[in-house]
Amino acid sequence: MRKPFILLATMAFAALCGQAKVKLPHIICDNMVLQQNTEARLWGWDKPGTTVAVTVSWNQQVYKAKTGKDGRWLVKVATPAASYTPLSVTFDDGEKTTIGNVLSGEVWVCAGQSNMEMPMRGFGNCPVEGYNDEVLAARDYKGIHYVKVPSVMSMTPQEDANCEWKEISAQTVGEASATGYFFAQAVNKALDVPVGLVIANKGGTRVESWLTKENLQKYTNEPLDTMGIVKGHEWDYHRQLVWGNGTFNPILNYTVRGIIYYQGCSNVGDPGDQYSDRLQLLVKQWREQFGLGEIPFYFVEIAPYFYDKADGDWGARLREQQFKASTKIPNSGLVCTNDLAYPYESTQIHPAQKRPVGRRLAQLALNQTYGMDEVWCKSPSFKDMKIVGDTIHIHLNDDYGSISRFEDIQGFEVAGDDKVFHPAKAVHFWRPGGGYWDETIQITCPEVKQPVALRYCFKNFQLGNLKNGAGLPLFPFRTDQW
C-alpha cells in the first residue's frame, strides 16, 4: 500500500544509523512532558556498537546504553515529582544533543476516531462550543503540552512519526484535541501538575483499525494482504491494521499514565458482542505493548446520532456494547453522553459540547486513578425492576443518593407482549416503610396495561433528562433482548 514511502524511510534510517550523532524519535523533543515519579523510557538510534550517555538536569546520574546491530538503544530515566520548572535532557555519543523546556507531570494518550481527533477550532461545519473563550484563557494553562501524531497508514509497524510537542498558548490551542484538552484542564487544575497529551487517533477508524496483525489473524476474519484490505473498505479510514501500525505504534515506547478513548461510530451495526469483545482485546493489546501494567482506560459512549433513522436502534446497540465492555475491561470507566447533543444536532456526528466530555473523563481519572473520592464520577445505570400490575418500578446503580429530576422525566418507553414500545411517564415514587421497593422510579403507560419490557433512550437519537446526584446522565438501556 505504502511501499515507496516505507522503502524511503528505511533507506533514510539506514543512512542515519551510519552517522555518529544520536538520532531521537520525533516524540522526544523540546517541550515534552515526562511521566512523573517513574522510570521514563528514552530511546533512539545510533551507529551500531555506540555507547549513548544520557544525563538529566534534575539528578547527577548518567544513564548509558550501547546500541546493538540494529542501531537501537533505550534507557530508563528516574523522573522527579511533577513541577512547572523547566528541565533538560542531554544525549551524548561523543556529540551532544540537548532538549529543553521539558516538564515532569501526568501523561495521557488521546486515542480513537474523529470525536477525539476533533480539534478545539472544530472541523468544517462542526464547531466546538466555547472555542473563543478557550483561546483567551489559554495563557492560564501553560502547564499543558500536547503532541499530535500524524495520521499515517502503514502495512508494517512504524517506529517514528513526524511530530513535535507544543506548549498550550492562544496560537496552539486550536489544534489540540478538544476532548483531550478539556480533560487536561480539569486534571491540571485539580492536581496542580503539568499534563501532557499524546494525541494519536484517526477520524472514521474502526476498532479493527488499531489491532495488530497477530490479533486480527487470531480473532477476526479480516483480510491482511494489501489488496484485501483496500478492496474490503472503500474508505481508507475504515481499514484494519494500517492505522495502528502507522499512527499508534510510534508512541508505544513512551511512558504514559493512561489512555482516554472515543471511538465506535464506524462499528455501528456490528453483530452480537463483537464490538465489546474486540474493544476488550484492543485494550489488552495496548497494555501489553506499552508494558506499563494495567494502565487506566477511560472511554466515551458514542453520542446520539440519527444513523439514517433517528428511531432506529443501531447506535443504541453499539452503546450497549460499550457498556458491556466497561464491565469486562479492568481498570476502566465509561462516560455517558446521552445529554451532550442538542436537539438540532441529530444529523451532526460531531456534537459541539466537548467540554463536558473531557470533564467527565477527568472525573473518572481523578476518582479512580488519583484517589479523589470526593469527585463523583459515575453515571447511573439500570439495576433492577419489579412489575406490579400496570406499573414498573426500577432502581438505579450509582445514583449518589438522589436523582436530579422528580417531574417531566423524558426517555422511557414500555412494551407489552406485542413488542411495540410506547412513550411512558416516569416519576419518583416514595412511601413510608423503608423497604427496598418503597423508593423507586415508577413508570406507567396508558397504552400498555400489562408491561413486559422497558427501554430508556434506546434509539439512535433520543435525548433523556434523568440524572443522578452528581448531575451525570442515566446510561441508555433495555430490559428486553428483542
Side-chain angles (χ1 to χ4, degrees):
M1 182 185 300
R2 300 176 59 86
K3 290 182 179 178
F5 171 80
I6 294 170
L7 179 60
L8 288 171
T10 302
M11 292 170 63
F13 170 74
L16 284 164
C17 283
Q19 299 175 1
K21 188 174 182 179
V22 65
K23 177 182 181 290
L24 299 174
H26 286 77
I27 198 171
I28 297 178
C29 65
D30 294 343
N31 304 315
M32 73 176 179
V33 179
L34 293 173
Q35 178 58 44
Q36 68 162 326
N37 292 327
T38 190
E39 288 191 322
R41 293 176 296 224
L42 302 173
W43 73 99
W45 304 269
D46 211 320
K47 186 178 180 180
T50 300
T51 297
V52 177
V54 180
T55 55
V56 297
S57 62
W58 57 88
N59 66 37
Q60 302 302 311
Q61 290 183 254
V62 179
Y63 304 89
K64 293 185 178 181
K66 189 172 183 179
T67 61
K69 293 180 180 180
D70 57 5
R72 294 180 177 87
W73 60 268
L74 182 147
V75 297
K76 294 181 179 180
V77 174
T79 55
S83 170
Y84 298 101
T85 302
L87 308 170
S88 65
V89 184
T90 298
F91 306 88
D92 188 355
D93 66 346
E95 185 175 351
K96 292 183 178 180
T97 299
T98 299
I99 59 175
N101 197 34
V102 175
L103 297 180
S104 186
E106 291 297 302
V107 182
W108 287 81
V109 176
C110 303
Q113 61 181 100
S114 55
N115 272 300
M116 182 63 82
E117 181 183 28
M118 189 177 187
M120 284 296 301
R121 67 172 75 253
F123 294 134
N125 292 319
C126 303
V128 170
E129 195 171 73
Y131 167 69
N132 274 340
D133 291 339
E134 296 308 325
V135 171
L136 298 178
R139 66 189 307 166
D140 297 332
Y141 294 96
K142 291 185 177 179
I144 299 177
H145 296 191
Y146 72 89
V147 56
K148 176 70 175 78
V149 180
S151 301
V152 172
M153 292 186 293
S154 176
M155 285 297 294
T156 58
Q158 297 299 293
E159 296 184 332
D160 195 11
N162 187 13
C163 58
E164 62 179 340
W165 282 90
K166 295 182 179 180
E167 184 176 3
I168 283 294
S169 68
Q171 291 72 40
T172 64
V173 68
E175 294 306 316
S177 159
T179 295
Y181 182 57
F182 287 125
F183 168 87
Q185 281 185 341
V187 174
N188 173 251
K189 287 297 185 183
L191 302 181
D192 193 19
V193 298
V195 178
L197 299 176
V198 179
I199 303 170
N201 43 54
K202 171 60 181 176
T205 48
R206 302 180 303 140
V207 68
E208 293 84 1
S209 303
W210 306 99
L211 290 173
T212 60
K213 181 178 181 179
E214 293 74 20
N215 278 332
L216 288 165
Q217 283 177 327
K218 187 174 181 179
Y219 297 103
T220 79
N221 294 317
E222 301 274 356
L224 295 174
D225 62 290
T226 302
M227 291 309 299
I229 291 174
V230 172
K231 289 181 178 179
H233 298 286
E234 176 183 1
W235 305 107
D236 61 4
Y237 47 77
H238 283 167
R239 292 171 185 166
Q240 61 273 20
L241 177 67
V242 294
W243 296 105
N245 279 344
T247 305
F248 211 85
N249 206 76
I251 74 170
L252 292 174
N253 270 342
Y254 208 81
T255 304
V256 304
R257 171 66 76 181
I259 301 169
I260 56 175
Y261 183 78
Y262 195 161
Q263 186 275 333
C265 298
S266 293
N267 285 97
V268 166
D270 284 3
D273 289 341
Q274 179 174 295
Y275 181 81
S276 62
D277 289 342
R278 292 183 181 180
L279 182 58
Q280 184 181 18
L281 174 63
L282 178 62
V283 176
K284 182 175 183 289
Q285 169 191 300
W286 278 347
R287 285 171 172 169
E288 290 173 350
Q289 289 177 311
F290 274 112
L292 299 170
E294 204 171 78
I295 57 176
F297 179 81
Y298 302 126
F299 62 118
V300 184
E301 176 188 76
I302 59 171
Y305 179 69
F306 84 129
Y307 293 107
D308 297 328
K309 183 182 178 183
D311 287 342
D313 65 4
W314 314 292
R317 289 173 185 271
L318 195 283
R319 293 183 200 106
E320 184 177 58
Q321 287 296 297
Q322 291 179 307
F323 187 82
K324 286 183 179 179
S326 73
T327 67
K328 296 191 291 186
I329 300 170
N331 198 16
S332 72
L334 178 64
V335 164
C336 180
T337 60
N338 178 253
D339 62 332
L340 297 184
Y342 290 114
Y344 57 80
E345 290 185 308
S346 66
T347 59
Q348 174 58 275
I349 195 68
H350 304 120
Q353 298 178 74
K354 290 295 185 284
R355 179 193 297 271
V357 178
R359 291 293 174 89
R360 289 173 189 178
L361 285 165
Q363 288 163 8
L364 284 168
L366 291 170
N367 179 291
Q368 296 183 191
T369 299
Y370 298 111
M372 294 184 66
D373 295 338
E374 304 85 357
V375 176
W376 291 348
C377 64
K378 294 183 178 181
S379 272
S381 59
F382 172 76
K383 184 177 183 179
D384 56 24
M385 78 173 185
K386 181 172 71 171
I387 300 174
V388 181
D390 64 352
T391 303
I392 298 177
H393 295 262
I394 68 168
H395 291 116
L396 304 177
N397 297 302
D398 301 313
D399 61 8
Y400 295 111
S402 62
I403 60 171
S404 68
R405 179 177 289 272
F406 278 17
E407 298 177 2
D408 192 32
I409 297 173
Q410 301 293 322
F412 283 101
E413 294 182 312
V414 172
D417 286 330
D418 61 1
K419 301 182 181 181
V420 177
F421 282 91
H422 300 271
K425 180 180 180 181
V427 297
H428 179 263
F429 171 79
W430 177 85
R431 66 185 175 195
Y436 184 72
W437 293 101
D438 289 327
E439 185 170 3
T440 63
I441 298 170
Q442 178 179 280
I443 299 120
T444 56
C445 176
E447 290 82 9
V448 183
K449 299 302 182 182
Q450 294 181 307
V452 172
L454 176 69
R455 292 184 174 185
Y456 177 76
C457 293
F458 203 78
K459 293 182 178 179
N460 291 337
F461 191 91
Q462 185 178 16
L463 306 177
N465 60 8
L466 185 59
K467 300 185 179 184
N468 64 10
L472 296 173
L474 174 61
F475 279 111
F477 70 89
R478 59 174 173 163
T479 62
D480 64 275
Q481 291 299 315
W482 298 335

